[in-house]
């Protein structure tokens, strides 16, 4: 089979499209004949050595296609079923390969008629927004929400899901005027440029979503109301930890918590899969939109991932695989 593999930890130029052995599912696993793979910022970080697995190996944490083979003990799935899967990073079997590995209990069937290209960009971000807002932030109707990187893959989902859950006001932070315009079109009530953040003051928000981290985090904490919650869902800035005095949380009556969809999936796979099923249904029905900027032939994937790493993409990229066996 073919895969877009990390061959050396030198960044995007270490990705090569090459022939590799087909993975075999172990107990409780399935392989999926991937038609499409979702692309995320984390894939660029993996190419830079964020998780140094033995080389070569295929990144790609989300995919959609058909069940190819079943491992021992797998029930409820059949070869040929149309499915979406998150966390397809078992050994070398990520979604950037024509055949990818997944835990069977994390796989969800596609809603009838759902485009697999659209399904492939759902498993990471939309369930994260649902679970983080419900389980960690415990968002209540009428609350005000601020979302960092509002037009990134995660940000587009958090803004919409917060609205669905009854948030009264949802504000986004973006880096350019073009992204401000698009975020407003996507349903944000107000959008700030990143450069404007230092000029904002007042405790306006009940929940702040931060997939970026970096030096802005202490400024974000100053925007939380009493009992406000800052939810850390990523570290796109790769800027190291920012020190915050712990008395801040006592003096201001605020909190900071983290959410990680991978840890939820490992600890409570049934709950994580229920969120994936909900996410697929919301996107298939049009209640939540996943903006896809571009569908890319995976043979051109390295160049597309370079654009994402440089912040030159809006919404999601999706890689299209060659038909398996051709």
């Amino acid at each position: 089979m073919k895969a877009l593999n990390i061959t050396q930890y030198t960044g995007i130029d270490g990705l090569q499209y090459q022939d590799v052995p087909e993975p075999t599912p172990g107990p409780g696993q399935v392989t999926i004949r991937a038609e499409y793979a979702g692309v995320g910022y984390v894939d660029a970080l993996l190419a830079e050595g964020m998780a140094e697995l033995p080389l070569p190996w295929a990144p790609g944490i989300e995919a959609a296609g058909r069940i190819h083979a079943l491992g021992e003990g797998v029930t409820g799935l059949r070869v040929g079923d149309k499915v979406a899967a998150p966390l397809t990073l078992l050994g070398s079997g990520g979604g950037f390969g024509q055949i990818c590995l997944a835990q069977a209990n994390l796989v969800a069937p596609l809603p009838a008629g759902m485009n697999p290209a659209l399904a492939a960009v759902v498993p990471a971000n939309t369930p994260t927004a649902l679970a983080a807002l419900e389980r960690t932030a415990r968002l209540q109707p009428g609350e005000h929400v601020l979302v960092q990187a509002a037009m990134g893959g995660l940000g587009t989902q958090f803004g919409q899901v917060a609205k669905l859950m009854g948030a009264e006001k949802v504000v986004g932070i973006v880096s350019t005027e073009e992204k401000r315009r698009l975020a407003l079109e996507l349903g944000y009530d107000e959008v700030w440029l990143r450069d404007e953040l230092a000029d904002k003051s007042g405790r306006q928000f009940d929940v702040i979503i931060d997939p970026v981290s970096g030096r802005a985090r202490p400024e974000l904490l100053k925007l939380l109301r009493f009992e406000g919650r800052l939810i850390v869902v990523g570290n796109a800035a790769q800027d190291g930890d920012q020190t915050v005095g712990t008395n801040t949380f006592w003096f201001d009556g605020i909190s900071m918590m983290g959410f990680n969809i991978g840890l939820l999936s490992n600890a409570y796979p049934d709950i994580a899969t229920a969120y994936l099923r909900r996410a697929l249904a919301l996107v298939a029905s049009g209640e939540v939109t996943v903006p896809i900027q571009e569908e890319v032939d995976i043979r051109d994937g390295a160049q597309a991932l370079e654009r994402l790493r440089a912040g030159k993409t809006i919404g999601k990229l999706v890689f299209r695989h060659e038909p398996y066996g051709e």
Side-chain angles (χ1 to χ4, degrees), residues 266-280:
N266 288 334
Y268 306 111
D270 291 346
I271 292 174
T273 305
Y275 276 117
L276 175 56
R277 288 172 177 263
R278 283 175 57 190
L280 288 166

Side-chain angles (χ1 to χ4, degrees), residues 205-226:
F205 298 100
D206 304 286
V207 173
I208 297 177
I209 301 299
D210 185 10
V212 178
S213 184
R215 299 172 188 176
R217 184 166 291 163
E219 297 301 315
L220 294 176
L221 289 169
K222 296 175 184 177
L223 298 174
L224 284 174
R225 293 171 171 168
F226 173 63

